Amino acid sequence: MAFYEHIRAYREQLEITQMEAAKSLGIDHSVLSKYERGDLAIPIDLLMKFVEVYAIPQDLFFNMLKDIPFKSKNPGLEARESRTRYIESFQEEYVSQVIHLKEYRDFTMQVVSTSTDDKERKRFITNNMKKD
């Protein structure tokens, strides 16, 4: 498996959309798509940004670069741990910048109180993000 396939699979494991990943990486989503398909070589300076944004452990990242399969005793647990690391880094980077805003807290409370169903919450968010 080529590095670009590893990086795409890892993003998908984290349940991050290409749009979200591209914004976090500071690139256009169409460029990320080309990286993930192997149509464009990933610049060396962007490699460490992937590690940072996706919160990839160093040993796993080196295995990805060397195309060494990652042997996991508990892949489900490791996927959850990876997702947790990503969410924590996302919160530090983005949520910490807006949590002090009353409007952010009000909106978050509205989303959470809308329903316990993620589909309903997504629909609420989508409807409230539409621009006039």
Side-chain angles (χ1 to χ4, degrees):
M1 178 184 282
F3 177 75
Y4 65 87
E5 293 171 305
H6 285 288
I7 208 74
R8 182 191 69 239
Y10 197 80
R11 177 187 57 76
E12 290 172 347
Q13 176 184 316
L14 295 176
E15 299 176 8
I16 305 171
T17 65
Q18 273 191 344
M19 293 291 282
E20 179 181 347
K23 283 181 186 177
S24 296
L25 291 164
I27 59 176
D28 189 85
H29 78 280
S30 64
V31 173
L32 178 58
S33 178
K34 290 176 183 176
Y35 290 151
E36 289 187 351
R37 287 192 317 265
D39 294 344
L40 258 179
I42 301 172
I44 296 209
D45 59 328
L46 190 58
L47 290 177
M48 292 317 293
K49 188 77 173 169
F50 275 101
V51 171
E52 178 187 327
V53 168
Y54 292 179
I56 304 171
Q58 290 288 353
D59 58 339
L60 176 58
F61 179 69
F62 290 129
N63 286 346
M64 293 167 121
L65 287 172
K66 295 186 233 174
D67 195 20
I68 298 171
F70 186 69
K71 306 281 187 209
S72 173
K73 293 181 180 176
N74 191 339
L77 175 62
E78 289 176 7
R80 284 190 302 276
E81 289 173 348
S82 295
R83 177 111 176 103
T84 298
R85 277 193 309 276
Y86 171 75
I87 293 297
E88 288 171 354
S89 68
F90 181 89
Q91 288 175 329
E92 288 173 17
E93 179 78 18
Y94 297 102
V95 176
S96 64
Q97 295 184 39
V98 294
I99 198 163
H100 68 281
L101 299 173
K102 177 189 177 304
E103 294 80 2
Y104 170 80
R105 295 189 310 273
D106 288 345
F107 183 72
T108 302
M109 290 170 63
Q110 286 179 343
V111 170
V112 171
S113 64
T114 297
S115 173
T116 57
D117 179 55
D118 278 348
K119 287 183 181 179
E120 288 295 319
R121 288 179 175 171
K122 288 177 185 178
R123 192 177 356 243
F124 179 84
I125 291 168
T126 302
N127 290 338
N128 282 281
M129 285 180 61
K130 292 181 181 174
K131 299 192 189 281
D132 296 322

